[in-house]
Amino acid sequence: MKPFSLLIKPASADCNLRCEYCFYIDHLEKIKDNPRMSDDVLKKMIAGYMETNQNNNYAFGWQGGESMIMGLKFFQKAVELQKLYAPPGAVISNGLQTNGTLINDDFAHFFGEYKFLIGVSLDGPAYIHDYYRKTIGKKSSHHLVMHGIEYLRQNKVEFNILILVNNENVKKAKEIYHYLREQGFFYHQYIPCVEFDENDNPKTFSITGVEWGDFLCDLFDQWIKEDIYEISIRLFDSILEYLVFGRYNVCYMNNNCCQYFVIEYDGSVYPCDFFVREDLLLGNILHDKWEDLLKSPIYRKFGQEKANWHKSCNSCPFINLCHGDCQKFRIGSPQSSNILSVLCKGWKKFYTYTLPHFKIIADRIKNGHAINSMIQIKSEKVGRNSPCPCGSGKKYKNCCMRQ
């Protein structure tokens, strides 16, 4: 059996915030009952997953909406069930994505005790973050997020920051990057905000492909100056993972979308949280086996549609780094996924600008001397005539510095 992970939505789309750009909140309108995962669904999900062959590595991702509105007792019960049904020698990992506003000392202590990796959504300093990320009462949430992060720090919980790049912050890569750096946040994940209306037109808070490319190039400029081995940016890490080891660790880079399952609060199973739709309902864990879900014709067809990219992708020098991009950004997917990603121009601009330097860094890593040489450089002020931190041997102004 091919290994897979779980992305679990125990409270479905329910949330204590009402972020204007949220792509999932509309699911609440379709739910007639209270969207809370029952003990029966939780037990069946964990017990069944632990019976599958995952090379003894079992990955649980908790998400929403806001999964923390389930309360601490729910997650305590989940961990106890994981212990109960885990096969001998099993390695269990739990990740939880949260808006951060509900984190208190008790939750943080629990996360620390069981080594949860927490993703906290934070779009930048308060005036940027609060533009879209408000409470149900339309009040700011930034200060609540920062309080939650402080609890994580006090309890030594590992966390990263997820930044949704939208029309309000897409021109502010440098400001956001340095704000996070000054706050001591060294693990970043930047996600493009692209949502469409019923006519497949981008919504107002969405970004264009060119804007995405400019943002990533600006971000790269800040990172490469002195932070190559100080700050982890998931996209950059993923590029190096591929260049050094030939592996993909983010789903959009791969050529097949059969990589995980989404579990809704009632046990319904879907192939991707961007595609929780009736026509892509795979089954329900209350009466379907994981083996059958993996073999589902709907699941397999959805996964294979990733490789049905636009014909121009065949001649693209960067095809191995995106395989046509996430199906979400190929309008009409998965029924007609052979459409160019709306972010294509941005990806091309970014890879054209940065890939030569990523390859140099990757070669230095392969040769085993990258860390020492980069650490020596990264703490120095990099001027126009300084050696480029990427290790090319050229001056910074003639290499990674954008003119």
Side-chain angles (χ1 to χ4, degrees):
M1 178 184 293
K2 179 183 176 181
F4 59 93
S5 59
L6 302 183
L7 181 59
I8 308 154
K9 295 179 177 286
S12 189
D14 204 1
C15 187
N16 62 316
L17 297 186
R18 285 297 181 269
C19 305
E20 187 176 338
Y21 52 49
C22 180
F23 75 93
Y24 211 73
I25 195 68
D26 290 345
H27 288 273
L28 277 182
E29 299 175 2
K30 308 171 187 177
I31 299 173
K32 297 179 181 179
D33 56 353
N34 187 33
R36 298 291 184 271
M37 183 171 283
S38 68
D39 290 349
D40 288 343
V41 173
L42 180 66
K43 179 179 178 181
K44 185 75 172 179
M45 175 184 67
I46 292 175
Y49 184 46
M50 291 296 189
E51 290 176 355
T52 64
N53 179 13
Q54 301 294 318
N55 298 323
N56 242 14
N57 286 276
Y58 299 86
F60 296 82
W62 306 91
Q63 205 177 83
E66 176 52 62
S67 62
M68 285 185 62
I69 64 176
M70 294 296 296
L72 180 57
K73 289 183 179 180
F74 173 83
F75 290 99
Q76 290 172 330
K77 185 174 297 182
V79 168
E80 291 306 314
L81 289 170
Q82 289 172 352
K83 292 179 183 178
L84 178 63
Y85 290 105
V91 177
I92 300 171
S93 60
N94 283 284
L96 185 145
Q97 182 63 41
T98 176
N99 60 44
T101 63
L102 300 179
I103 300 172
N104 56 27
D105 190 57
D106 290 338
F107 250 124
H109 178 79
F110 169 80
F111 292 149
E113 181 179 2
Y114 290 102
K115 309 300 181 186
F116 273 56
L117 175 61
I118 306 299
V120 181
S121 295
L122 184 70
D123 286 352
Y127 85 97
I128 295 177
H129 174 90
D130 288 335
Y131 190 89
Y132 284 125
R133 302 189 64 81
K134 293 183 173 66
T135 67
I136 293 177
K138 297 185 178 180
K139 295 183 179 180
S140 64
S141 65
H142 182 273
H143 65 291
L144 301 175
V145 180
M146 299 303 286
H147 285 317
I149 289 175
E150 186 56 34
Y151 283 120
L152 295 179
R153 282 175 157 168
Q154 291 172 4
N155 287 274
K156 296 179 172 56
V157 179
E158 291 189 23
F159 67 93
N160 57 44
I161 301 297
L162 187 148
I163 305 94
L164 191 68
V165 182
N166 56 74
N167 69 314
E168 282 297 316
N169 63 7
V170 71
K171 305 291 187 184
K172 301 167 182 172
K174 181 178 180 180
E175 179 180 355
I176 293 170
Y177 179 84
H178 284 284
Y179 170 77
L180 298 178
R181 194 179 191 281
E182 290 164 5
Q183 297 296 322
F185 304 151
F186 297 149
Y187 296 87
H188 307 179
Q189 183 177 357
Y190 297 86
I191 305 294
C193 180
V194 182
E195 300 295 334
F196 303 94
D197 61 22
E198 60 277 5
N199 297 317
D200 288 342
N201 296 314
K203 293 186 177 181
T204 56
F205 40 71
S206 298
I207 62 173
T208 68
V210 172
E211 288 175 329
W212 177 236
D214 287 339
F215 181 93
L216 291 178
C217 289
D218 290 344
L219 192 67
F220 179 84
D221 285 345
Q222 303 309 309
W223 175 77
I224 201 168
K225 288 180 182 178
E226 55 184 38
D227 292 332
I228 293 176
Y229 286 94
E230 184 74 19
I231 292 181
S232 168
I233 295 176
R234 189 181 184 192
L235 170 60
F236 298 176
D237 292 346
S238 299
I239 294 169
L240 291 171
E241 179 85 8
Y242 171 72
L243 293 177
V244 176
F245 301 107
R247 300 190 297 246
Y248 298 116
N249 63 6
V250 290
C251 58
Y252 88 88
M253 283 187 173
N254 220 317
N255 65 354
N256 190 292
C257 286
C258 292
Q259 301 191 36
Y260 68 94
F261 288 109
V262 172
I263 317 298
E264 263 285 354
Y265 76 103
D266 60 355
S268 300
V269 183
Y270 300 87
C272 172
D273 63 329
F274 292 139
F275 293 94
V276 176
R277 328 186 302 211
E278 290 185 10
D279 62 316
L280 291 174
L281 175 63
L282 305 178
N284 191 294
I285 57 172
L286 292 176
H287 48 72
D288 292 305
K289 296 181 179 179
W290 290 113
E291 292 86 347
D292 295 331
L293 293 169
L294 282 168
K295 297 176 183 177
S296 164
I298 297 175
Y299 187 54
R300 289 189 172 185
K301 184 176 186 300
F302 175 80
Q304 292 166 355
E305 282 295 325
K306 182 65 159 72
N308 188 22
W309 49 68
H310 190 269
K311 60 182 181 181
S312 66
C313 297
N314 293 321
S315 58
C316 178
F318 313 120
I319 184 63
N320 288 332
L321 289 163
C322 79
H323 290 100
D325 205 3
C326 175
Q327 292 192 59
K328 176 184 179 180
F329 305 132
R330 289 146 55 170
I331 300 304
S333 299
Q335 285 85 359
S336 55
S337 61
N338 56 341
I339 295 174
L340 203 61
S341 166
V342 296
L343 298 178
C344 179
K345 289 183 179 179
W347 285 123
K348 284 183 175 180
K349 184 171 189 176
F350 168 66
Y351 284 125
T352 299
Y353 179 55
T354 65
L355 199 55
H357 311 302
F358 277 121
K359 287 180 177 178
I360 292 172
I361 298 171
D363 287 342
R364 293 170 71 83
I365 293 173
K366 291 177 184 178
N367 293 332
H369 59 77
I371 293 179
N372 289 337
S373 59
M374 290 301 178
I375 286 179
Q376 184 177 357
I377 294 173
K378 73 180 179 63
S379 61
E380 299 175 358
K381 177 72 173 179
V382 179
R384 291 173 55 87
N385 294 309
S386 301
C388 188
C390 76
S392 65
K394 300 179 182 178
K395 291 183 179 181
Y396 179 52
K397 68 178 182 180
N398 296 323
C399 193
C400 292
M401 179 178 172
R402 296 171 75 197
Q403 302 302 316

